[in-house]
Amino acid sequence: MKREATQFLFLILFLFAAPAVQAQNGVVKQTEITNFQLQSSAVIDASGETLSTPSYQENVYWFPVKVPSTVLTGLVANNVYPDPYQGMNNMRIPDASDSFNKEYNLEQYSFLPNDPNPWKKPYWYRTSFKVPASDNGRHFQLIFKGINYRAAVWVNGKQIADSTDMAGMFAEYSLDVSKEIKAGAENYLAVKIYPLDFPGTPAPEQLKAMGPFFANGGPTGDIGKNVTMLCSVGWDWMPPTRDRNMGIWQPVYLRTSGNVTISRPHLVTTLPALPDTTVADISLKLNLANHGNSGANGKLNVTITPENFTGSSIEFSKDVTLGANSSTKVDLNAENETSLHITNPHLWWPNGHGAPNLYRIRLQYLAGNTVSDDTTFVFGIRTVSSKATEVKGKFLRRDFYVNGKRVNLVGGAWVPDMMVNRDSLRYDNELRLCQNANINLVRIWGGGITPPDQFFNAADRYGLLVWSDFWVTGDTQGEFKGSPDWPLQGNVFIKNMTSTILRIRNHPSLLLWTGGNEGHARKELYYAMRDSIIKLDGTRPFIPSSSGFAKLPADWKASWPDNKQSGVYSGGPYAWQSPKQYYKLANNAKDWVFKDETGIPSQPPYNILPKIIPDLVWDKTLPFPLNNTWGYHDAASGNGKYDLYYKDMVKRFGEPKSMKGFSEKMQLMNAMGYQGIFEAAGSKLDDNGGVMLWKLNAALPSVIWQVYDWYLMPNAGYYFMQNAVEPVHVQYDQDNASVTVVNRSYNPEKNLVAEADVYNIHSKLTHSESKKVSLDAASVKKLYSLSKVLAKTDGVSFVVLRLKDANGKVISHNSYWLSPDDNFTSMNAMDKAQVELKVIDKTTKGSHTKWTVELSNPSDKLAFFVRPMLMNKGEEVLPGMWSSSYFTLKPGESRTVTVSTPAQNLDKSGFRVEGWNLEPICRPNK
C-alpha cells in the first residue's frame, strides 16, 4: 500500500444521511456516487494510479453500470450475458470454477477472447465526480458500504487502500480522502475489485425435473474458505451465481463535513421498572474526532423527536473540546443528563402486539456557530431478552421477550437475491408483505448476507423482529462437510463481524445474534463473535447456533447471558406433510418446543407461472405439465421432495387436466400445509417458543419453499399462514376435531362467540354449533368437538368457522375441507356459486393506495377458495397486500376485505375475482 494504515479510518456508522446543514464554507452532505464504468483487468493495461487521473485515455470500451452492481449484474445490464434468473439462461454463462466450466462446456460463453474464465482476474470500476470550490479545506470521507471480495482504491492518482485493507463481503469502509480531493475540479476514482480468494466448486447442475437437488455449498463446502455469501456457490434452492457476486454490491458515498466528525453512536434503551413500562432510560455513547491541525471548542447538540407518532421533543447540548488531531468518547445517560430519563415513552412493539413506535435522534457538533458534522438515525424504546426452560420429556426450549412480555415467534428465514439485486423499494415491499402476513420475525440465514441498512430500516417501521445469523453453516464449517478451519483468514471474518455489529446494533428490530446456521465457527472465531457482541452491543441475546442439534464442545461457553444451549431446532420437515402430521409433531416431537426451520414446496399461482417457467411446454416423459426447466427452478427431489408433493396432490385431488387446474390444486396443497404448520403450533401456544418457516422468499423464480415468490406474488399458503397467526383466531384442531380459540394478543378477550357450520360437498348445511368463550391474554381454549358430527359424514365435508366479538362483529374467519380417506376428487365437480364485488372505499396515503371491497355470495352454494385480484394491463398488481384471500363464503354471506398496493396509475382492468367453483368476474376499481 502507498500510505500508512493510520490514514485508513475506522468504520463509521451512518444509518441515514443527515439533512444538509452549514459547515464551514459548505454543507454537511453525503452524496451517493452511482455512475461507473466497468471492465476486466484482462483487457486494461493501465494501473490504478493512471486510471484515477484525467490523463487516462480510453482505448477499449468500458461498460456503463449503476453502482451498486456486481460484475455479472453489470454485464447482464449491458447485454453481454442473458438474464440468469430466466429459464436455463444460467447455463449460458461461465462459472468461477474452472473444473465446473470444463464439465459443462461453459468456457465457450466467456466474453473475454482467449480467456475461458472471465471471473478469474480483477475488474476495474472507474468514475469521476465534481466537488464544488466552496468545499475547499473541508473533511472528505469516501464510504464503501460493501464490496466483494477484495478491493483497492485510488483517488486522483493516489492509492488510498489496498486489497489487504478491504476484504470480505460484509465490512463497511470509510476512507479519509481529504488530502486527495480537489475542490472546484473533477475528481477521479478507480476501484479494483478482486474475485473470491477461493471460488468454490458447485454441485452438479440440477438439469432434470424431479431429479436430485443442488447440494448445499457444493460437494466439499469449500466456498466456506471465504467470508462471503456462502450460497453463491449454489444451495438446494438456488443455482450457482456465476461470478460469486464479486463487485461493489452496496452504495458508495462521498461524505463532506467539517474537521470534527461523529462516529460509532451506540444508543441503548432500558425499562428500569419492568413490568412497569411508564419510565425509560436512554444512554448514548459516541466518538468525536478532530481531523484538523488546530483545537476545536464546541458543543454536541442532541435532538430526539417522534418519527411516526405525535409527541414532544427532547433537546440538549454538551460542551466538548478537542485538541488538534485528537479524538474523545462521549458518554451520555440518564444520570448525567436528566433529559434522557423518559416518562410515558412510546414503546416499540413487534407486529401484532402494539405499534412499532420510533424516535429520531439527530447529532450535531457545532464549533462556534458552524456545524461541523450532522448525522441522524431512527431508534425505538424497547428491551429484548430470552429465557431457556427445561421441558420434561422434550428438549430445552428458548423463549424470547420484548418489553418484559413473552413473544411467541412466528415467521421464517429470509434469503438473499441470487445476484443481490435489491434496493430500498424492494426491501420495503418484502417486509411490508411480511407485516401483512401477521408474522413477527424474519430470520437472516447464515449462508446468505447480513442485509443492508434499508432492510433493517423497513423492519423497524413494520415491527418485524430480526434474528441474525453470522456467516457460518454446517455445510461449510464442518458440521456436515467443509472444515472448522474455514474461513482461512480469521482476521477477515473478525473485521467483517465487528463492522456488522457496529452497523446494525441501534436497530430496535434486531432481536438476536446467532453464531451461525446449523454449525459453529472454530473456537477462535466463535469467541470473537461472542465476546464482541457482549462488548460492542451487550443488549441482546446470543445463541451458539440456529440449531440445537449442532452441539458445542462441552468446555465452550454457550449462549449469552445465560450460558445455556441454543434451545431452538432446525431439521424440518421440509417436505409437504398432512395437517394431522404437524399436530403429531407439535404434540410429541422433542424438537417442536421451538422449531426454527420447517416448510413445504410452494407452487406459485397460475397467473405468475409463465414468468417462473418461460417455456411452458409439457415434456411428456415427465408428469404433467413439467419440463426440465422446472427442475432448474427447484421442482426436484431432495429435502423439499417436490416429487412427493406432486404425488400427494394427485392422490388427494386427482390428476390435473390443465395447467390452471394443476396450479389451483397445488394452491390447495399450499393452504393445507401452511395452515397445518401454524395452527398445530398455535394449539400449543404455551408449550413452544415459536415456529419458523424454511423459508419466506425466493432467491430466483422458484417453485419451492416460499410464501411469496420472486415477483412478490403470495401463494395460498401465505394467506392461510396470515390467518393462522392473526392476533385472535378460531381454528379446527386436526388432532382431536375440536373447535379452538387462540389468543396471541396481550389483551384478554371477553364474551366472544365461536360458530361452526358443517357443509357437505353439495353445500348442504349438516350441522351448526356455537359457544360463548372468554380468554385470558396469550392463551388457548378448546371449546367443543366436531368428531361425532364428522364421523357420520361420507366424502368431503367443509367446516366453516367464524369468531364474533361481543358486538356480533366477525373477528376471525376460517375454513377446512376434510375427508376421512383424504380423497377430495369430488371437489372437482363442486356445484357452481356466484360472487359479487363492490368497491366501498379508496384512499391514498404516502406511497400506497388502499381499497376496501365487499365480496358477497348471493347463491345458495358455498363459494370456495375465493381469490380477489387487483389488475392493471391484464396482470395482477404486485405486490398486493390483501387482508385475506383464498377464503370461503357461506351461502348468502358477505365479507369486507382490503388491499394495499404501491400508488400508481391503473388502467380500467379493475378487480378480478376467481375461485374454485366460480366463473371469474371483473369489476371496475372505482
Side-chain angles (χ1 to χ4, degrees):
M1 181 168 169
K2 306 275 178 83
R3 314 177 61 178
E4 292 299 319
T6 53
Q7 293 183 336
F8 184 41
L9 283 185
F10 49 71
L11 174 73
I12 295 183
L13 177 69
F14 292 111
L15 298 183
F16 294 87
V21 294
Q22 292 299 315
Q24 295 174 338
N25 297 320
V27 295
V28 175
K29 55 192 174 184
Q30 187 163 297
T31 305
E32 186 171 359
I33 304 171
T34 59
N35 295 317
F36 281 76
Q37 295 177 309
L38 173 73
Q39 189 51 273
S40 170
S41 64
V43 296
I44 301 296
D45 296 327
S47 66
E49 286 85 355
T50 301
L51 290 172
S52 61
T53 63
S55 63
Y56 171 68
Q57 299 296 314
E58 297 180 9
N59 58 2
V60 300
Y61 180 75
W62 287 73
F63 300 108
V65 295
K66 294 282 187 181
V67 167
S69 173
T70 65
V71 172
L72 180 55
T73 294
L75 294 176
V76 170
N78 281 276
N79 300 310
V80 175
Y81 287 119
D83 183 350
Y85 299 105
Q86 296 299 312
M88 303 293 288
N89 283 348
N90 207 42
M91 295 303 298
R92 296 165 57 197
I93 305 173
D95 192 75
S97 164
D98 289 334
S99 61
F100 191 84
N101 285 335
K102 291 182 184 300
E103 181 179 358
Y104 290 96
N105 194 27
L106 299 182
E107 296 172 333
Q108 63 178 311
Y109 299 115
S110 176
F111 81 102
L112 296 175
N114 306 311
D115 203 336
N117 187 338
W119 320 119
K120 233 176 176 180
K121 295 177 181 176
Y123 276 76
W124 286 105
Y125 287 73
R126 182 176 183 269
T127 190
S128 66
F129 52 91
K130 184 114 181 201
V131 174
S134 58
D135 286 341
N136 187 45
R138 304 185 64 211
H139 185 70
F140 298 97
Q141 299 160 70
L142 189 61
I143 298 171
F144 289 83
K145 300 291 281 186
I147 57 94
N148 190 37
Y149 184 67
R150 295 180 182 273
V153 179
W154 288 261
V155 174
N156 292 331
K158 300 292 185 180
Q159 188 168 5
I160 308 301
D162 67 21
S163 59
T164 61
D165 297 315
M166 299 177 70
M169 191 173 185
F170 309 110
E172 198 173 285
Y173 303 93
S174 179
L175 311 177
D176 185 347
V177 292
S178 301
K179 293 180 180 178
E180 285 69 38
I181 291 294
K182 298 176 180 178
E186 197 74 13
N187 291 262
Y188 294 84
L189 167 65
V191 183
K192 193 174 189 179
I193 294 291
Y194 294 79
L196 272 62
D197 292 350
F198 302 91
T201 305
E205 286 282 15
Q206 191 170 296
L207 302 179
K208 298 289 185 182
M210 303 304 200
F213 259 111
F214 299 109
N216 295 344
T220 65
D222 57 347
I223 190 75
K225 294 177 180 179
N226 311 278
V227 182
T228 193
M229 176 175 150
L230 300 172
C231 63
S232 66
V233 77
W235 224 259
D236 61 1
W237 39 267
M238 68 169 263
T241 307
R242 295 306 187 201
D243 69 341
R244 306 294 188 267
N245 286 323
M246 67 180 293
I248 305 176
W249 75 283
Q250 284 300 295
V252 179
Y253 297 100
L254 180 70
R255 186 170 176 85
T256 308
S257 69
N259 282 330
V260 177
T261 58
I262 302 166
S263 66
R264 291 190 179 182
H266 187 201
L267 189 147
V268 175
T269 63
T270 57
L271 300 172
L274 280 175
D276 179 4
T277 59
T278 62
V279 292
D281 290 338
I282 299 174
S283 69
L284 174 67
K285 296 180 181 179
L286 55 88
N287 294 344
L288 286 173
N290 181 10
H291 307 277
N293 294 322
S294 58
N297 297 312
K299 61 181 179 179
L300 177 70
N301 279 358
V302 180
T303 306
I304 297 174
T305 55
E307 176 73 1
N308 60 356
F309 64 91
T310 302
S312 57
S313 299
I314 298 167
E315 187 169 0
F316 62 90
S317 62
K318 178 180 175 62
D319 292 334
V320 183
T321 299
L322 294 98
N325 296 301
S326 68
S327 63
T328 189
K329 297 181 184 296
V330 177
D331 187 348
L332 301 170
N333 53 62
E335 293 184 1
N336 59 31
E337 176 52 61
T338 57
S339 299
L340 295 177
H341 179 75
I342 314 295
T343 58
N344 298 313
H346 286 68
L347 300 184
W348 187 95
W349 289 100
N351 191 30
H353 292 294
N357 293 304
L358 295 169
Y359 294 81
R360 178 175 291 278
I361 187 168
R362 184 176 184 182
L363 306 172
Q364 295 175 299
Y365 184 81
L366 284 82
N369 294 322
T370 302
V371 176
S372 180
D373 202 3
D374 185 338
T375 192
T376 179
F377 60 91
V378 167
F379 71 95
I381 296 178
R382 63 98 184 92
T383 63
V384 296
S385 61
S386 78
K387 178 182 178 182
T389 302
E390 298 288 347
V391 181
K392 186 176 181 180
K394 295 189 176 184
F395 294 153
L396 180 78
R397 182 186 80 220
R398 187 164 293 277
D399 292 312
F400 292 89
Y401 298 80
V402 176
N403 300 330
K405 290 187 175 290
R406 181 177 180 264
V407 180
N408 185 266
L409 298 181
V410 286
W414 180 90
V415 296
D417 179 77
M418 182 173 79
M419 293 165 61
V420 290
N421 285 329
R422 292 292 176 257
D423 58 18
S424 59
L425 178 60
R426 174 68 182 218
Y427 288 126
D428 185 85
N429 284 333
E430 289 206 34
L431 295 187
R432 190 184 283 261
L433 274 167
C434 291
Q435 179 201 43
N436 186 64
N438 289 327
I439 65 173
N440 56 31
L441 180 128
V442 177
R443 173 191 166 205
I444 304 305
W445 172 70
I449 64 171
T450 303
D453 301 337
Q454 301 98 315
F455 178 97
F456 288 92
N457 296 340
D460 294 342
R461 286 195 300 274
Y462 298 131
L464 294 166
L465 295 164
V466 178
W467 163 317
S468 190
D469 292 356
F470 280 107
W471 324 288
V472 172
T473 77
D475 289 291
T476 51
Q477 268 71 41
E479 189 78 16
F480 311 129
K481 60 177 181 285
S483 169
D485 293 332
W486 302 344
L488 293 178
Q489 290 191 304
N491 64 315
V492 173
F493 183 93
I494 291 170
K495 194 178 286 187
N496 280 249
M497 174 267 298
T498 302
S499 175
T500 297
I501 294 173
L502 294 173
R503 178 171 67 87
I504 67 177
R505 63 184 177 179
N506 289 331
H507 286 280
S509 55
L510 183 60
L511 170 71
L512 169 73
W513 305 99
T514 86
N517 169 65
E518 298 180 327
H520 309 100
R522 61 182 178 269
K523 189 173 185 178
E524 161 207 355
L525 302 184
Y526 175 83
Y527 273 95
M529 279 188 282
R530 192 179 188 275
D531 294 345
S532 295
I533 287 164
I534 297 169
K535 178 183 178 182
L536 299 176
D537 181 0
T539 67
R540 296 173 177 84
F542 165 82
I543 61 174
S545 172
S546 67
S547 180
F549 293 120
K551 298 296 184 184
L552 276 176
D555 61 338
W556 290 20
K557 291 181 181 179
S559 299
W560 183 82
D562 60 22
N563 202 32
K564 294 187 177 182
Q565 295 301 313
S566 294
V568 299
Y569 306 91
S570 60
Y574 300 102
W576 192 90
Q577 310 289 317
S578 72
K580 290 181 180 178
Q581 178 62 22
Y582 289 116
Y583 276 86
K584 288 180 182 177
L585 292 169
N587 289 331
N588 304 315
K590 294 181 179 181
D591 57 335
W592 274 65
V593 291
F594 195 121
K595 175 53 61 173
D596 69 4
E597 279 193 17
T598 188
I600 65 172
S602 310
Q603 178 68 36
Y606 172 71
N607 58 321
I608 200 71
L609 194 52
K611 292 186 177 181
I612 304 290
I613 310 293
D615 56 332
L616 277 176
V617 178
W618 178 30
D619 180 341
K620 294 185 179 181
T621 66
L622 294 167
F624 177 82
L626 307 185
N627 60 35
N628 285 324
T629 302
W630 289 71
Y632 206 77
H633 292 264
D634 303 324
S637 59
N639 283 336
K641 296 182 172 61
Y642 190 96
D643 51 341
L644 298 185
Y645 172 61
Y646 185 99
K647 289 177 181 178
D648 276 324
M649 176 272 291
V650 172
K651 174 185 173 183
R652 286 168 168 77
F653 300 104
E655 292 279 356
K657 304 298 183 185
S658 67
M659 196 86 69
K660 190 172 190 295
F662 161 79
S663 300
E664 289 173 344
K665 289 178 179 182
M666 286 304 204
Q667 295 317 302
L668 291 173
M669 296 289 286
N670 294 345
M672 295 170 73
Y674 287 108
Q675 183 184 59
I677 289 170
F678 287 99
E679 290 192 343
S683 72
K684 309 291 289 185
L685 189 68
D686 294 335
D687 301 322
N688 67 67
V691 63
M692 295 157 54
L693 292 177
W694 181 258
K695 48 191 180 47
L696 294 169
N697 68 326
L700 78 164
S702 174
V703 297
I704 195 168
W705 294 328
Q706 59 195 351
V707 291
Y708 61 88
D709 69 20
W710 192 77
Y711 296 99
L712 302 180
M713 179 175 284
N715 61 61
Y718 171 97
Y719 288 104
F720 277 70
M721 174 182 73
Q722 176 197 62
N723 192 54
V725 299
E726 63 186 340
V728 183
H729 177 65
V730 63
Q731 65 185 49
Y732 168 83
D733 286 342
Q734 302 211 31
D735 57 343
N736 56 23
S738 67
V739 174
T740 298
V741 179
V742 179
N743 182 13
R744 294 178 177 272
S745 77
Y746 295 147
N747 302 312
E749 294 289 341
K750 304 295 183 184
N751 300 317
L752 306 180
V753 177
E755 300 176 348
D757 292 327
V758 182
Y759 294 84
N760 67 15
I761 191 65
H762 299 295
S763 298
K764 179 183 177 181
L765 181 65
T766 61
H767 180 78
S768 186
E769 191 168 348
S770 66
K771 187 174 183 179
K772 287 187 176 181
V773 59
S774 295
L775 294 93
D776 294 333
S779 67
V780 178
K781 188 169 286 189
K782 297 184 185 299
L783 302 184
Y784 49 89
S785 176
L786 297 177
S787 59
K788 292 182 179 179
V789 174
L790 294 171
K792 298 175 184 178
T793 63
D794 294 322
V796 175
S797 297
F798 296 91
V799 175
V800 182
L801 306 179
R802 302 290 183 259
L803 185 66
K804 296 180 178 178
D805 65 15
N807 297 317
K809 179 183 178 182
V810 177
I811 60 172
S812 178
H813 304 71
N814 214 340
S815 59
Y816 303 82
W817 44 105
L818 307 170
S819 175
D821 59 358
D822 291 330
N823 183 346
F824 299 98
T825 54
S826 62
M827 291 172 59
N828 294 319
M830 275 185 74
D831 298 328
K832 293 291 184 181
Q834 296 173 290
V835 166
E836 288 297 328
L837 180 145
K838 181 173 67 175
V839 176
I840 296 174
D841 190 32
K842 175 186 174 183
T843 58
T844 298
K845 183 179 180 181
S847 61
H848 278 67
T849 300
K850 181 178 180 180
W851 282 264
T852 302
V853 299
E854 181 186 73
L855 292 116
S856 58
N857 176 10
S859 73
D860 61 354
K861 305 299 181 184
L862 285 172
F864 178 64
F865 230 46
V866 178
R867 182 191 177 200
M869 293 173 279
L870 177 63
M871 310 297 289
N872 187 41
K873 299 178 181 177
E875 295 189 354
E876 186 174 0
V877 176
L878 299 176
M881 273 70 75
W882 286 90
S883 60
S884 185
S885 191
Y886 295 94
F887 52 80
T888 296
L889 291 174
K890 297 187 292 185
E893 184 180 21
S894 296
R895 184 171 182 189
T896 299
V897 296
T898 63
V899 60
S900 176
T901 69
Q904 57 196 285
N905 293 321
L906 301 180
D907 67 10
K908 296 181 180 180
S909 298
F911 287 94
R912 180 179 174 89
V913 182
E914 297 181 356
W916 183 264
N917 61 332
L918 302 177
E919 292 297 332
I921 65 165
C922 297
R923 295 293 182 267
N925 58 26
K926 296 180 181 179

